Amino acid sequence: MTLEVLTCTNKCFPTFAGRKKIMRADLFQSPDYYGVDELLTEEQKLVRDSTRAWVKKEVTPIIEEYCQKAEFPKHLIKGLASIGAFGPFIPQEYGGAGLDYISYGLMMQELERGDSGIRSTASVQGSLVMFPIFKFGSEEQRKKYLPRLAKGEIMGCFGLTEPDHGSDPAGMMTRIKDNGDHFILNGAKMWISNAPFADIAVVWAKDDNGEIRGLIAEKGMKGFTSPETHNKWSLRASATGELVFDDVKIPKENIFPGVKGLKGPLNCLNSARYGISWGAIGAAMDCYDTALRYAKERIQFGKPIASFQLTQKKLAEMLTEITKAQLLCWRLGTLKNQNMVTPQQISMAKRNNVAMALNIGREARQVLGAMGITGEYPVMRHIMNLESVITYEGTHEIHLLITGNEITGINAFE
Ligand code: TGC
Ligand code: FAD
């Protein structure tokens, strides 16, 4: 950063306050080293560009403040709905945008370029709440919930993880007991995104036969509470909470008729993990773009730090990894559009791209020196967010073991 571009005080020496005026501006430019844009349709580019414009206008100006005060910016819900971020791939007859999976991925990329917490809210609403209702729900459930979820009139959350069962959801303790015309739900879910403000929860619980069933619990049902989880250093602009069920009466029409077993929630995770593979590219691109601009402007030893070979190595490696991830996702999206993608291919992309983004974030922060630890730049916030993203939706280790199983035919979980 040169003295000339600084807004100086009238004594004309640089101050932190003077720098802040120019640092917060969102000057993001997306890297596209291999011309991946040429592989996209006009509609896909339109979805990407309009989401990017919305993020620049609505998310970037406010996200740091909400992150600092650890609050989800609820006022963005209507805007997210208006750009079609809730269930982009759900057919239009149920209120979705009816888009293809590359468009969905690009939308998640742009939202996570703004903040992982904003992408999380869209992922949960679309892939973990609307998807299971569409795929496993009755026609009555689809008509009752999907259009309102798409419009953001009601918000949902997804309860799979429990205090004692994270990577191993098959061991879940939450139970539904048949009680004539309804079930009685007991148990607790933990680390649930959007739980504190969600109107409905898609919950996974074992029935009297020990089979995993999916159901819709509604806020206001007696015995259902959702306390917020505080003191997070990560994903601070996203609300996380518990779901506690104490003898909650669940009407039988709230059970999903279309699925039994762990494959129910895991199918939802395939859709959300796919979106995260793209989302991570957004966070990585923002860190790279910030580091590149800073390195060209910051002068040390009389020249831009971008002129030092060690800085160039960092930037060149960042762009290489982003380019590889872009190609991985484009191919993954093409397979998904053809209904040919496997859960194992999604695991590979989720694992690779989140780790890639986290590494790029850490390198970018180094390039920014001390400025990298401040909220004046998005880099530290992205790093902190990605520490959750590498754990949720299957940890880095679990996805490696899914790939290991596929390669060797030997299941490390048994
Ligand atoms: P396993 O015996 O392998 O499988 C049980 C049944 O499920 C089927 N299956 C799948 N089906 C669809 N998609 C997949 N990806 C599937 N993986 C397995 C399998 O064929 C079998 O079917 P069937 O018919 O024979 O019964 O199960 P396991 O108990 O050994 O566990 C496997 C393991 C460890 C890979 C899995 O449980 C796992 O992925 N664990 C990680 C848990 C996880 O990802 N939790 C995420 C919680 S939600 C969340 O984090 C949201 S964050 C939201 C945000 O803010 O974005
Ligand atoms: P554990 O399963 O206890 O794992 C701890 C460590 O042990 C990890 O490093 C793991 O990789 C390792 N490990 C476990 N088993 C093995 C093994 N077999 N081999 C090698 N290593 C192993 N869940 C939901 O259901 N809904 C949500 O909306 C949701 N949102 C979340 C939001 C945030 C901010 C966070 C942080 C989590 C969220 N989760 C949600 C929970 C998330 O999915 C779990 O945290 C995740 O699945 C890991 O479970 P765990 O934290 O219990 O870790």
Side-chain angles (χ1 to χ4, degrees), residues 316-328:
E317 287 179 351
M318 285 183 213
L319 182 58
T320 307
E321 292 308 314
I322 288 170
T323 304
K324 283 152 70 177
Q326 286 171 328
L327 291 166
L328 195 67

Side-chain angles (χ1 to χ4, degrees), residues 221-235:
M221 286 178 166
K222 194 160 171 282
F224 174 17
T225 50
S226 56
E228 184 156 2
T229 303
H230 295 289
N231 291 334
K232 293 180 299 166
W233 282 107
S234 173
L235 229 62

Side-chain angles (χ1 to χ4, degrees), residues 259-333:
V259 76
K260 284 182 183 173
L262 194 58
K263 60 179 175 296
L266 288 174
N267 261 300
C268 308
L269 295 182
N270 293 338
S271 178
R273 290 167 176 174
Y274 168 82
I276 290 173
S277 308
W278 285 89
I281 299 176
M285 291 198 305
D286 205 32
C287 292
Y288 164 76
D289 181 60
T290 304
L292 176 60
R293 190 171 303 108
Y294 189 89
K296 290 202 276 193
E297 292 173 353
R298 174 71 176 165
I299 309 290
Q300 290 294 285
F301 300 97
K303 42 188 180 173
I305 59 168
S307 62
F308 302 128
Q309 288 181 7
L310 291 176
T311 309
Q312 290 190 5
K313 177 176 187 289
K314 285 186 174 64
L315 294 168
E317 287 179 351
M318 285 183 213
L319 182 58
T320 307
E321 292 308 314
I322 288 170
T323 304
K324 283 152 70 177
Q326 286 171 328
L327 291 166
L328 195 67
C329 268
W330 180 81
R331 178 63 186 152
L332 196 72

Side-chain angles (χ1 to χ4, degrees), residues 16 126 133 135 162 199 230 237 241 262-263 277 337 354 393:
F16 191 66
I133 294 173
K135 180 95 177 157
E162 299 186 354
D199 304 284
H230 295 289
L262 194 58
K263 60 179 175 296
S277 308
N337 277 342
V354 177
E393 300 272 7

Side-chain angles (χ1 to χ4, degrees), residues 182-204:
H182 61 271
F183 286 95
I184 297 289
L185 172 64
N186 275 294
K189 301 288 178 180
M190 197 176 177
W191 300 115
I192 308 305
S193 298
N194 299 352
F197 62 82
D199 304 284
I200 63 169
V202 167
V203 180
W204 301 91

Side-chain angles (χ1 to χ4, degrees), residues 364-380:
R365 204 214 63 71
Q366 296 278 5
V367 171
L368 267 64
M371 289 310 299
I373 71 153
T374 73
E376 306 309 321
Y377 292 91
V379 176
M380 195 76 182

Side-chain angles (χ1 to χ4, degrees), residues 17-59:
R19 288 180 183 208
K20 271 167 93 162
K21 287 189 188 150
I22 56 167
M23 283 183 295
R24 283 277 173 90
D26 185 350
L27 304 170
F28 175 70
Q29 286 185 337
S30 134
D32 184 16
Y33 198 63
Y34 267 32
V36 177
D37 251 31
E38 287 172 30
L39 301 171
L40 304 179
T41 64
E42 288 310 310
E43 182 180 70
Q44 289 161 355
K45 283 189 264 195
L46 189 66
V47 168
R48 194 256 329 266
D49 293 347
S50 56
T51 311
R52 182 171 298 168
W54 183 82
V55 166
K56 279 199 178 198
K57 182 164 175 277
E58 303 290 343
V59 179

Side-chain angles (χ1 to χ4, degrees), residues 18 141 162 219 373 396:
Q141 290 168 348
E162 299 186 354
K219 284 275 175 71
I373 71 153
H396 195 62

